[in-house]
Amino acid sequence: PGTGKDRWARAIAALCNRRTQKDQFVRENCAGIPKEIAESSLFGHEKGAFTGAAQIKHGPFELAGNGIVFLDELGSLSRELQQKILSMTEDPWEFKRVGGEEPLVFQGSLIAALSHVPEKGLDLAFESRFEWFLELPAFRNRTMEHRRLVFDVLAKKSSIDIPEKLR
């Protein structure tokens, strides 16, 4: 709490040139998903996949189109689900809805935020699969103004030229 992860994700999304009007920024708070429905919440489900699944549910990877999925508090998910997300990040980025047979392909970008280091073994896997891996100190521990910090890191990590007046 208090690190500005959502602001970082939205700043990256705003500067990302992959998005079109139909593509979306979809935020999923993994810490708020009950364990029993986590897989269905993230990957969606087919009609009849389980009791109460009266219709198809699209997860964030489908809803985003070619846009951006921001998984906040990814580390709060079970190890098995974290591994499933990691395996999805291989080319092509395929996944299946719960109860589904046909693989679906996610063609957008994924931003994941962790408030703590994942379990041993998953930590290196996360760092190697994601283009950006930032450790954000809590706001109370920062001496630099937040907006400037965001733009400074974005300027260093990308080829985007940020005008001085925005810094």
Side-chain angles (χ1 to χ4, degrees), residues 54-93:
Q55 60 188 14
I56 291 176
K57 178 192 180 288
H58 303 283
F61 298 106
E62 284 183 87
L63 295 174
N66 290 336
I68 295 172
V69 173
F70 171 44
L71 298 179
D72 194 8
E73 296 298 339
L74 180 66
S76 67
L77 297 173
S78 70
R79 181 179 178 87
E80 293 78 25
L81 206 46
Q82 289 181 40
Q83 288 173 324
K84 190 169 188 171
I85 291 168
L86 280 171
S87 67
M88 187 193 91
T89 64
E90 298 173 7
D91 283 331
W93 285 42

Side-chain angles (χ1 to χ4, degrees), residues 40-58:
S40 172
S41 294
L42 292 172
F43 299 108
H45 63 257
E46 296 289 343
K47 179 179 179 177
F50 50 85
T51 304
Q55 60 188 14
I56 291 176
K57 178 192 180 288
H58 303 283

Side-chain angles (χ1 to χ4, degrees), residues 146-157:
H146 179 70
R147 182 176 171 172
R148 178 161 176 91
L149 180 64
V150 168
F151 286 123
D152 283 349
V153 171
L154 287 174
K156 289 177 189 170
K157 287 282 203 173

